[in-house]
Amino acid sequence: MDLKQEKKRKLHIPNDIQSILMVAFTLSTLLIVSVLGLSIYARFSAESREAAAESTDHIMNVAKSSLEDDLYYMREVSDALYYNTIRETDISDSAISLQMNLLYEANKDRIVSISLFDKNGLLIAGSPLSTVKDNVKISDCDWFLNAVQHKEAYYFSAPHIENIFEDMSPNYHRVISISRAVDLTDGGLPEAGVLLIDMDYSRLYDGFSETNFSGKQYFYLCDGSGNILYHPQSMAIIHGFFKENAKEEAALPDGRYELTYEGGRRDVTVASIAYTGWKLISVTPESSAFIGSTNGRYFLLIALLLTAMALIVINRLVAFRISRPITRLDRSVKAYEAGEKYPDIYTGGSDEIRHLGASIKKSYAEIEELMTSIVHEQEEKRHSELAALQSQINPHFLYNTLDSITWMVEGGRSDEAVAMISELARLLRISLSKGKNIISLEDEFAHAQSYMNIQKVRYKDRFTADIHLPKELENFCTIKLIIQPILENAIYYGVSEMDGDGEIRVTAEKQGKDILISVSDNGVGMTPETAAKVLLPEAHIVKHGNGVGLVNVDTRLRILFGEAYGVSIESEPDEGTRVLIRFPAIEFSEENRKALEAGKIPGQDKSAL
Amino acid sequence: MKHFFRKNNIFLWIELAIAVVVLLLFISIRYNASVNAEKRVSVIVEKSSDAKWDSFRQGLSDAAKDQNINIVMVSTGELVSAEQEQKLIDREIEMGAKALIVEPAPGERTSGLLQKAARNVPVLLVEADCFGGSYLNRVSFDDEELGRAIGAEVLSDFSGDVSGKKIGVLSGRLNTQQASERLSGLSESLGKPDFRFLLSNADLKGLGEDISSFGSVDILVALDTYSLEVAGANAVQQEGSPALIYGIASSDKAYYYLDRNIVKALIVPDEWEEGYQAMSRTVQLLHHTSASLSDATAGYTVVRRDNLFSEENQDRLFTGSK
């Protein structure tokens, strides 16, 4: 397990395909939902705020229109009085007072008082009251001074308590004073004066209060410097319980703005009031829009969370659906690796998984086949080697040879006995070869020679044997005991009945990279059909001793060197038989011997099984 | 199916966590809805239709803005007993009042009945500076301080020395805690002179004489709005007042008398602030945003003829004149 995998294992980070898919799907889901949620929130929030601001603007415009209408009306009244009466009439004429009274009576729902003053602030005429308080100096009043300073213009005061006239009743009115400079005629001479109309502010205030919002949105009125003239929370502002951003907002040109005040965002619309320089300002806090409210945000969050929950469940199902075939395939492979008796490799799911499963199944089947074949070949090899080993100590051959030695000794043929004993000893020594399977060709031919020497004595020279190994081939590797079984067959099946005419020849030559050993006899031979069957495994017939014979030699050669090598037979009835043994020419050295003993062919990558 | 959930515990935990958050959000929404639902707040004060309460009512209304509060000013006359007040309280609670703002009626039993009412709904007391033995929240004036303040104005007109002057004290009811505290403050600031006590309400028998005898004093101090108005009306009727009139009052009539120079100085309790503070605290009690609130004291303004119509005082005093 590499470092990365080890780290994941230690941190308990799941690394299976289902978890990886789940994490990937979930993260992408959460990302999409978050992006979508934020987009919806931003869009909806903007739309909601826009709607709330438009609603506020609409209400404010109604209030603006109403105020301007009232102010305009006051101007009209002022103009009417001035142009129709004051300018045309001498101030000593009671027509001014009369006209004032008429105008007042006609408009007493809007007007608190109408009064005319001379340039020094002395009252000329007034309606309904006409006595100025003794502690009030008209010429010091702002409305008077402004009117005098700005001729041809109307001056609109801020709302204030009217306190010019003496009143026998404790009635105080909050008014907006509209003052203007006027031209008077006093005894035929032109004089300057000031016309004052006190407009009832309570009517405006009630109108504002009725149209103003009951919720968090509101509008307020201030002058150009930000001094508040009307505010639904004016008393709270005076007492410091409420703050307003009037100074900053009054300085803004007409239009809609997004501002931040006291930690909260709000939409502000500024509209100028005609004639006065006042500003009507509407305020729509962000929280007044539904989506800006706490509940609105909670609802959106709930919707997004429920969507995320549903998507996560769906993701899990999808991930499971996708990964299940892979998981099942993995489980079946693990079962196979654990050695379960009859594991069934999963071959379902998508095309790719089915293909993978089928391939794995086929691979495992081939492995099984190869394993079986290997086991079989190993067993055959073991069997062959065992059989070969057994042949080394064939009791019949040994008994017969010892018998021969005995009667030689008894017959006083000690030299022959000694010679036979020597041959036997050499035969046994090479047969055993200290347990080695790979010997030199020289030793193998010597073994064959010893065998034939013993057999010739036993068979009383009924045949001749010519065993010749070229010198240059002496030092090549061979599997031991490959010639003797063939010679045995040649004797038993070929020449044993030939009464001295039998000939057995053993030769060797090098053909290319191979060694070819030929064992031929001029015996009875066999048909080609019989020759073909001889090397079949079924021909493994126990006869005359060990029953190893040709099949054994052929099998051992093929097992070690491969299918291209082994034994082949040429035979003709009554002509004789020639058995050819082919194997690779490998020089005899300790290193090569060891390699061959281990099943490896020196100079080749693959090992012989 | 077990394979589906096997090795996926972490995702179950995630789902569970999301579900918990959703549930909490739902609960918050429900809570907000209940908090923001319209609530009835009943206000029980003596002589509720009196002009004296105009500013107070305006303060209540201003504080209740954006709070979805339905203010019910219970129609009352004179509140003379605890039993009378209890009937009103019980009726209001029955009608669904979620909170009460109450001016305690005189009497020892009032404390008990208010404590009992407070077990059902939040109760806030007004005009109860000296209302002892109560653990309820209060918004009121420092009556002793008001008394001291008017006394200071008297002294400032007499160069700090009123010895030898006959000082009359005019009050609606001298046996109330409010009158008692104001008198105490006045006495303290004037150096504990001997007062002549006069009653502005001739229907009540008390320590004092009838208002008509006030002419024999040099200085007349009215301890409440009604008394000040009576003194002013009397002075107007008699075309002048031999006594210099001072008072603790807040009404257009009181300002009128000041404006006409009949009254020399006024201490104007800020009724608007009293109403605003009362409602603000009641809202907090309704929302449980404060486990306990400290009592609040509303302020006052010193007003004379020359500053009666100052920009600030116009807005503070003439709240009814809009």
Side-chain angles (χ1 to χ4, degrees), chain A residues 357-392:
Chain A
S359 294
I360 290 170
K361 195 171 186 177
K362 189 178 165 193
S363 299
Y364 282 163
E366 284 175 2
I367 289 168
E368 284 291 331
E369 216 177 283
L370 279 169
M371 291 291 287
T372 307
S373 172
I374 288 166
V375 167
H376 178 71
E377 283 184 8
Q378 287 290 338
E379 282 190 20
E380 269 198 15
K381 183 180 174 187
R382 275 195 299 276
H383 180 77
S384 299
E385 286 174 355
L386 191 61
L389 197 61
Q390 282 177 339
S391 73
Q392 296 167 31

mmCIF file of all heavy atoms in Angstrom, chain A residues 357-392:
data_model
loop_
_atom_site.group_PDB
_atom_site.id
_atom_site.type_symbol
_atom_site.label_atom_id
_atom_site.label_comp_id
_atom_site.label_asym_id
_atom_site.label_seq_id
_atom_site.Cartn_x
_atom_site.Cartn_y
_atom_site.Cartn_z
ATOM 1 N N GLY A 357 -15.859 -8.557 -15.967
ATOM 2 C CA GLY A 357 -16.189 -9.792 -15.257
ATOM 3 C C GLY A 357 -15.917 -11.008 -16.118
ATOM 4 O O GLY A 357 -15.320 -12.002 -15.668
ATOM 5 N N ALA A 358 -16.351 -10.916 -17.366
ATOM 6 C CA ALA A 358 -16.141 -12.053 -18.283
ATOM 7 C C ALA A 358 -14.661 -12.313 -18.484
ATOM 8 O O ALA A 358 -14.202 -13.463 -18.494
ATOM 9 C CB ALA A 358 -16.838 -11.761 -19.613
ATOM 10 N N SER A 359 -13.895 -11.204 -18.640
ATOM 11 C CA SER A 359 -12.439 -11.359 -18.849
ATOM 12 C C SER A 359 -11.786 -11.994 -17.631
ATOM 13 O O SER A 359 -10.948 -12.886 -17.750
ATOM 14 C CB SER A 359 -11.792 -9.993 -19.105
ATOM 15 O OG SER A 359 -12.242 -9.457 -20.313
ATOM 16 N N ILE A 360 -12.187 -11.485 -16.441
ATOM 17 C CA ILE A 360 -11.601 -12.033 -15.209
ATOM 18 C C ILE A 360 -11.970 -13.510 -15.080
ATOM 19 O O ILE A 360 -11.135 -14.359 -14.749
ATOM 20 C CB ILE A 360 -12.081 -11.236 -13.976
ATOM 21 C CG1 ILE A 360 -11.453 -9.836 -14.000
ATOM 22 C CG2 ILE A 360 -11.736 -11.948 -12.678
ATOM 23 C CD1 ILE A 360 -12.032 -8.883 -12.971
ATOM 24 N N LYS A 361 -13.234 -13.789 -15.373
ATOM 25 C CA LYS A 361 -13.701 -15.185 -15.281
ATOM 26 C C LYS A 361 -12.883 -16.070 -16.221
ATOM 27 O O LYS A 361 -12.426 -17.158 -15.848
ATOM 28 C CB LYS A 361 -15.174 -15.215 -15.659
ATOM 29 C CG LYS A 361 -15.884 -16.492 -15.264
ATOM 30 C CD LYS A 361 -17.387 -16.324 -15.471
ATOM 31 C CE LYS A 361 -18.127 -17.534 -14.943
ATOM 32 N NZ LYS A 361 -19.575 -17.365 -15.057
ATOM 33 N N LYS A 362 -12.697 -15.604 -17.441
ATOM 34 C CA LYS A 362 -11.933 -16.370 -18.438
ATOM 35 C C LYS A 362 -10.488 -16.528 -17.974
ATOM 36 O O LYS A 362 -9.908 -17.622 -18.077
ATOM 37 C CB LYS A 362 -11.987 -15.635 -19.768
ATOM 38 C CG LYS A 362 -11.419 -16.430 -20.931
ATOM 39 C CD LYS A 362 -11.562 -15.637 -22.220
ATOM 40 C CE LYS A 362 -10.678 -16.280 -23.272
ATOM 41 N NZ LYS A 362 -10.533 -15.395 -24.431
ATOM 42 N N SER A 363 -9.928 -15.423 -17.450
ATOM 43 C CA SER A 363 -8.540 -15.477 -16.971
ATOM 44 C C SER A 363 -8.405 -16.493 -15.856
ATOM 45 O O SER A 363 -7.463 -17.292 -15.824
ATOM 46 C CB SER A 363 -8.093 -14.104 -16.462
ATOM 47 O OG SER A 363 -8.148 -13.162 -17.493
ATOM 48 N N TYR A 364 -9.361 -16.424 -14.916
ATOM 49 C CA TYR A 364 -9.300 -17.370 -13.801
ATOM 50 C C TYR A 364 -9.430 -18.807 -14.298
ATOM 51 O O TYR A 364 -8.775 -19.722 -13.808
ATOM 52 C CB TYR A 364 -10.387 -17.052 -12.767
ATOM 53 C CG TYR A 364 -10.041 -15.885 -11.873
ATOM 54 C CD1 TYR A 364 -11.029 -15.256 -11.131
ATOM 55 C CD2 TYR A 364 -8.746 -15.415 -11.765
ATOM 56 C CE1 TYR A 364 -10.729 -14.192 -10.297
ATOM 57 C CE2 TYR A 364 -8.431 -14.356 -10.947
ATOM 58 C CZ TYR A 364 -9.435 -13.740 -10.212
ATOM 59 O OH TYR A 364 -9.135 -12.687 -9.397
ATOM 60 N N ALA A 365 -10.331 -19.024 -15.301
ATOM 61 C CA ALA A 365 -10.502 -20.373 -15.858
ATOM 62 C C ALA A 365 -9.196 -20.843 -16.484
ATOM 63 O O ALA A 365 -8.768 -21.999 -16.321
ATOM 64 C CB ALA A 365 -11.635 -20.372 -16.871
ATOM 65 N N GLU A 366 -8.539 -19.941 -17.220
ATOM 66 C CA GLU A 366 -7.275 -20.296 -17.863
ATOM 67 C C GLU A 366 -6.212 -20.585 -16.818
ATOM 68 O O GLU A 366 -5.416 -21.520 -16.963
ATOM 69 C CB GLU A 366 -6.816 -19.149 -18.776
ATOM 70 C CG GLU A 366 -7.597 -19.077 -20.066
ATOM 71 C CD GLU A 366 -7.216 -17.862 -20.903
ATOM 72 O OE1 GLU A 366 -6.311 -17.095 -20.506
ATOM 73 O OE2 GLU A 366 -7.825 -17.689 -21.963
ATOM 74 N N ILE A 367 -6.234 -19.749 -15.746
ATOM 75 C CA ILE A 367 -5.281 -19.992 -14.661
ATOM 76 C C ILE A 367 -5.512 -21.365 -14.058
ATOM 77 O O ILE A 367 -4.565 -22.123 -13.803
ATOM 78 C CB ILE A 367 -5.398 -18.892 -13.577
ATOM 79 C CG1 ILE A 367 -4.849 -17.573 -14.116
ATOM 80 C CG2 ILE A 367 -4.675 -19.285 -12.301
ATOM 81 C CD1 ILE A 367 -5.165 -16.375 -13.248
ATOM 82 N N GLU A 368 -6.797 -21.655 -13.836
ATOM 83 C CA GLU A 368 -7.141 -22.960 -13.274
ATOM 84 C C GLU A 368 -6.623 -24.078 -14.176
ATOM 85 O O GLU A 368 -6.033 -25.072 -13.720
ATOM 86 C CB GLU A 368 -8.664 -23.108 -13.137
ATOM 87 C CG GLU A 368 -9.279 -22.352 -11.966
ATOM 88 C CD GLU A 368 -8.885 -22.939 -10.627
ATOM 89 O OE1 GLU A 368 -8.637 -24.154 -10.549
ATOM 90 O OE2 GLU A 368 -8.831 -22.173 -9.655
ATOM 91 N N GLU A 369 -6.860 -23.885 -15.489
ATOM 92 C CA GLU A 369 -6.423 -24.896 -16.452
ATOM 93 C C GLU A 369 -4.915 -25.070 -16.417
ATOM 94 O O GLU A 369 -4.389 -26.191 -16.396
ATOM 95 C CB GLU A 369 -6.850 -24.432 -17.851
ATOM 96 C CG GLU A 369 -7.285 -25.557 -18.765
ATOM 97 C CD GLU A 369 -7.762 -24.982 -20.076
ATOM 98 O OE1 GLU A 369 -8.911 -24.464 -20.091
ATOM 99 O OE2 GLU A 369 -7.002 -25.026 -21.056
ATOM 100 N N LEU A 370 -4.222 -23.937 -16.428
ATOM 101 C CA LEU A 370 -2.758 -23.973 -16.402
ATOM 102 C C LEU A 370 -2.261 -24.633 -15.128
ATOM 103 O O LEU A 370 -1.319 -25.436 -15.155
ATOM 104 C CB LEU A 370 -2.194 -22.551 -16.498
ATOM 105 C CG LEU A 370 -2.140 -21.970 -17.910
ATOM 106 C CD1 LEU A 370 -1.823 -20.488 -17.870
ATOM 107 C CD2 LEU A 370 -1.089 -22.699 -18.748
ATOM 108 N N MET A 371 -2.926 -24.229 -14.017
ATOM 109 C CA MET A 371 -2.529 -24.827 -12.744
ATOM 110 C C MET A 371 -2.701 -26.333 -12.784
ATOM 111 O O MET A 371 -1.837 -27.083 -12.330
ATOM 112 C CB MET A 371 -3.384 -24.233 -11.598
ATOM 113 C CG MET A 371 -3.101 -22.769 -11.298
ATOM 114 S SD MET A 371 -1.494 -22.500 -10.570
ATOM 115 C CE MET A 371 -1.755 -23.138 -8.955
ATOM 116 N N THR A 372 -3.849 -26.754 -13.326
ATOM 117 C CA THR A 372 -4.110 -28.190 -13.424
ATOM 118 C C THR A 372 -3.055 -28.856 -14.296
ATOM 119 O O THR A 372 -2.523 -29.934 -13.966
ATOM 120 C CB THR A 372 -5.512 -28.440 -14.014
ATOM 121 O OG1 THR A 372 -6.465 -27.701 -13.245
ATOM 122 C CG2 THR A 372 -5.853 -29.916 -14.014
ATOM 123 N N SER A 373 -2.760 -28.197 -15.416
ATOM 124 C CA SER A 373 -1.760 -28.739 -16.334
ATOM 125 C C SER A 373 -0.401 -28.821 -15.653
ATOM 126 O O SER A 373 0.308 -29.834 -15.788
ATOM 127 C CB SER A 373 -1.691 -27.831 -17.560
ATOM 128 O OG SER A 373 -0.612 -28.209 -18.370
ATOM 129 N N ILE A 374 -0.058 -27.768 -14.920
ATOM 130 C CA ILE A 374 1.230 -27.757 -14.223
ATOM 131 C C ILE A 374 1.289 -28.912 -13.221
ATOM 132 O O ILE A 374 2.280 -29.647 -13.128
ATOM 133 C CB ILE A 374 1.438 -26.404 -13.503
ATOM 134 C CG1 ILE A 374 1.719 -25.309 -14.527
ATOM 135 C CG2 ILE A 374 2.585 -26.483 -12.506
ATOM 136 C CD1 ILE A 374 1.614 -23.916 -13.966
ATOM 137 N N VAL A 375 0.184 -28.960 -12.454
ATOM 138 C CA VAL A 375 0.146 -30.029 -11.436
ATOM 139 C C VAL A 375 0.297 -31.394 -12.113
ATOM 140 O O VAL A 375 1.041 -32.268 -11.652
ATOM 141 C CB VAL A 375 -1.161 -29.941 -10.632
ATOM 142 C CG1 VAL A 375 -1.374 -31.201 -9.815
ATOM 143 C CG2 VAL A 375 -1.149 -28.720 -9.719
ATOM 144 N N HIS A 376 -0.452 -31.545 -13.216
ATOM 145 C CA HIS A 376 -0.396 -32.826 -13.936
ATOM 146 C C HIS A 376 1.005 -33.111 -14.424
ATOM 147 O O HIS A 376 1.532 -34.220 -14.281
ATOM 148 C CB HIS A 376 -1.393 -32.767 -15.100
ATOM 149 C CG HIS A 376 -1.390 -34.012 -15.936
ATOM 150 N ND1 HIS A 376 -1.890 -35.213 -15.485
ATOM 151 C CD2 HIS A 376 -0.928 -34.250 -17.178
ATOM 152 C CE1 HIS A 376 -1.741 -36.132 -16.426
ATOM 153 N NE2 HIS A 376 -1.151 -35.576 -17.479
ATOM 154 N N GLU A 377 1.634 -32.123 -15.023
ATOM 155 C CA GLU A 377 2.983 -32.312 -15.556
ATOM 156 C C GLU A 377 3.971 -32.585 -14.441
ATOM 157 O O GLU A 377 4.873 -33.422 -14.592
ATOM 158 C CB GLU A 377 3.413 -31.069 -16.336
ATOM 159 C CG GLU A 377 2.782 -30.997 -17.707
ATOM 160 C CD GLU A 377 3.281 -29.810 -18.509
ATOM 161 O OE1 GLU A 377 4.212 -29.136 -18.057
ATOM 162 O OE2 GLU A 377 2.725 -29.558 -19.595
ATOM 163 N N GLN A 378 3.764 -31.833 -13.342
ATOM 164 C CA GLN A 378 4.642 -32.091 -12.194
ATOM 165 C C GLN A 378 4.497 -33.527 -11.728
ATOM 166 O O GLN A 378 5.481 -34.199 -11.403
ATOM 167 C CB GLN A 378 4.310 -31.138 -11.044
ATOM 168 C CG GLN A 378 4.753 -29.713 -11.268
ATOM 169 C CD GLN A 378 6.242 -29.553 -11.221
ATOM 170 O OE1 GLN A 378 6.946 -30.375 -10.640
ATOM 171 N NE2 GLN A 378 6.739 -28.536 -11.878
ATOM 172 N N GLU A 379 3.250 -33.942 -11.679
ATOM 173 C CA GLU A 379 3.005 -35.312 -11.244
ATOM 174 C C GLU A 379 3.618 -36.304 -12.216
ATOM 175 O O GLU A 379 4.203 -37.306 -11.811
ATOM 176 C CB GLU A 379 1.510 -35.564 -11.114
ATOM 177 C CG GLU A 379 0.965 -34.956 -9.833
ATOM 178 C CD GLU A 379 -0.451 -35.395 -9.556
ATOM 179 O OE1 GLU A 379 -0.876 -36.423 -10.107
ATOM 180 O OE2 GLU A 379 -1.128 -34.713 -8.773
ATOM 181 N N GLU A 380 3.435 -35.998 -13.496
ATOM 182 C CA GLU A 380 4.025 -36.884 -14.520
ATOM 183 C C GLU A 380 5.534 -36.915 -14.369
ATOM 184 O O GLU A 380 6.164 -37.979 -14.461
ATOM 185 C CB GLU A 380 3.667 -36.344 -15.910
ATOM 186 C CG GLU A 380 2.395 -36.915 -16.439
ATOM 187 C CD GLU A 380 2.274 -36.717 -17.951
ATOM 188 O OE1 GLU A 380 3.267 -36.395 -18.620
ATOM 189 O OE2 GLU A 380 1.171 -36.880 -18.438
ATOM 190 N N LYS A 381 6.072 -35.736 -14.144
ATOM 191 C CA LYS A 381 7.527 -35.668 -14.004
ATOM 192 C C LYS A 381 7.972 -36.491 -12.809
ATOM 193 O O LYS A 381 8.917 -37.262 -12.884
ATOM 194 C CB LYS A 381 7.929 -34.209 -13.836
ATOM 195 C CG LYS A 381 9.426 -33.996 -13.765
ATOM 196 C CD LYS A 381 9.715 -32.508 -13.589
ATOM 197 C CE LYS A 381 11.188 -32.340 -13.368
ATOM 198 N NZ LYS A 381 11.503 -30.940 -13.029
ATOM 199 N N ARG A 382 7.256 -36.259 -11.737
ATOM 200 C CA ARG A 382 7.602 -36.998 -10.535
ATOM 201 C C ARG A 382 7.454 -38.494 -10.778
ATOM 202 O O ARG A 382 8.287 -39.301 -10.376
ATOM 203 C CB ARG A 382 6.724 -36.563 -9.368
ATOM 204 C CG ARG A 382 7.203 -35.342 -8.629
ATOM 205 C CD ARG A 382 6.497 -35.198 -7.291
ATOM 206 N NE ARG A 382 5.058 -35.045 -7.445
ATOM 207 C CZ ARG A 382 4.488 -33.874 -7.691
ATOM 208 N NH1 ARG A 382 5.204 -32.778 -7.823
ATOM 209 N NH2 ARG A 382 3.177 -33.813 -7.812
ATOM 210 N N HIS A 383 6.352 -38.782 -11.434
ATOM 211 C CA HIS A 383 6.119 -40.204 -11.734
ATOM 212 C C HIS A 383 7.237 -40.772 -12.601
ATOM 213 O O HIS A 383 7.763 -41.866 -12.358
ATOM 214 C CB HIS A 383 4.762 -40.342 -12.425
ATOM 215 C CG HIS A 383 4.430 -41.753 -12.769
ATOM 216 N ND1 HIS A 383 3.993 -42.659 -11.830
ATOM 217 C CD2 HIS A 383 4.490 -42.417 -13.944
ATOM 218 C CE1 HIS A 383 3.782 -43.836 -12.433
ATOM 219 N NE2 HIS A 383 4.073 -43.715 -13.721
ATOM 220 N N SER A 384 7.573 -39.999 -13.641
ATOM 221 C CA SER A 384 8.630 -40.457 -14.546
ATOM 222 C C SER A 384 9.948 -40.581 -13.813
ATOM 223 O O SER A 384 10.688 -41.575 -13.987
ATOM 224 C CB SER A 384 8.799 -39.487 -15.711
ATOM 225 O OG SER A 384 7.618 -39.418 -16.442
ATOM 226 N N GLU A 385 10.263 -39.594 -13.045
ATOM 227 C CA GLU A 385 11.543 -39.616 -12.331
ATOM 228 C C GLU A 385 11.563 -40.761 -11.333
ATOM 229 O O GLU A 385 12.581 -41.443 -11.166
ATOM 230 C CB GLU A 385 11.767 -38.276 -11.613
ATOM 231 C CG GLU A 385 12.131 -37.164 -12.599
ATOM 232 C CD GLU A 385 12.219 -35.817 -11.940
ATOM 233 O OE1 GLU A 385 11.903 -35.710 -10.747
ATOM 234 O OE2 GLU A 385 12.601 -34.837 -12.638
ATOM 235 N N LEU A 386 10.436 -40.912 -10.735
ATOM 236 C CA LEU A 386 10.345 -42.022 -9.784
ATOM 237 C C LEU A 386 10.540 -43.349 -10.505
ATOM 238 O O LEU A 386 11.252 -44.250 -10.037
ATOM 239 C CB LEU A 386 8.987 -41.958 -9.082
ATOM 240 C CG LEU A 386 8.814 -42.877 -7.885
ATOM 241 C CD1 LEU A 386 9.826 -42.521 -6.808
ATOM 242 C CD2 LEU A 386 7.410 -42.765 -7.343
ATOM 243 N N ALA A 387 9.820 -43.419 -11.633
ATOM 244 C CA ALA A 387 9.948 -44.655 -12.412
ATOM 245 C C ALA A 387 11.380 -44.874 -12.867
ATOM 246 O O ALA A 387 11.918 -45.989 -12.829
ATOM 247 C CB ALA A 387 9.002 -44.596 -13.612
ATOM 248 N N ALA A 388 11.982 -43.752 -13.298
ATOM 249 C CA ALA A 388 13.376 -43.858 -13.745
ATOM 250 C C ALA A 388 14.270 -44.296 -12.600
ATOM 251 O O ALA A 388 15.197 -45.093 -12.771
ATOM 252 C CB ALA A 388 13.848 -42.519 -14.301
ATOM 253 N N LEU A 389 13.939 -43.720 -11.481
ATOM 254 C CA LEU A 389 14.720 -44.088 -10.300
ATOM 255 C C LEU A 389 14.546 -45.577 -9.993
ATOM 256 O O LEU A 389 15.504 -46.279 -9.649
ATOM 257 C CB LEU A 389 14.245 -43.241 -9.123
ATOM 258 C CG LEU A 389 15.179 -43.186 -7.917
ATOM 259 C CD1 LEU A 389 16.508 -42.580 -8.335
ATOM 260 C CD2 LEU A 389 14.552 -42.370 -6.819
ATOM 261 N N GLN A 390 13.326 -45.977 -10.125
ATOM 262 C CA GLN A 390 13.045 -47.384 -9.858
ATOM 263 C C GLN A 390 13.828 -48.294 -10.804
ATOM 264 O O GLN A 390 14.271 -49.370 -10.424
ATOM 265 C CB GLN A 390 11.543 -47.650 -10.030
ATOM 266 C CG GLN A 390 10.724 -47.174 -8.839
ATOM 267 C CD GLN A 390 9.236 -47.377 -9.050
ATOM 268 O OE1 GLN A 390 8.777 -47.504 -10.190
ATOM 269 N NE2 GLN A 390 8.481 -47.439 -7.960
ATOM 270 N N SER A 391 13.956 -47.773 -12.030
ATOM 271 C CA SER A 391 14.649 -48.615 -12.997
ATOM 272 C C SER A 391 16.122 -48.797 -12.662
ATOM 273 O O SER A 391 16.772 -49.738 -13.124
ATOM 274 C CB SER A 391 14.536 -48.003 -14.400
ATOM 275 O OG SER A 391 15.377 -46.866 -14.484
ATOM 276 N N GLN A 392 16.612 -47.773 -11.855
ATOM 277 C CA GLN A 392 18.023 -47.879 -11.500
ATOM 278 C C GLN A 392 18.289 -49.168 -10.690
ATOM 279 O O GLN A 392 19.374 -49.717 -10.721
ATOM 280 C CB GLN A 392 18.463 -46.685 -10.651
ATOM 281 C CG GLN A 392 18.381 -45.363 -11.386
ATOM 282 C CD GLN A 392 18.527 -44.200 -10.438
ATOM 283 O OE1 GLN A 392 19.223 -44.325 -9.412
ATOM 284 N NE2 GLN A 392 17.915 -43.099 -10.749
#
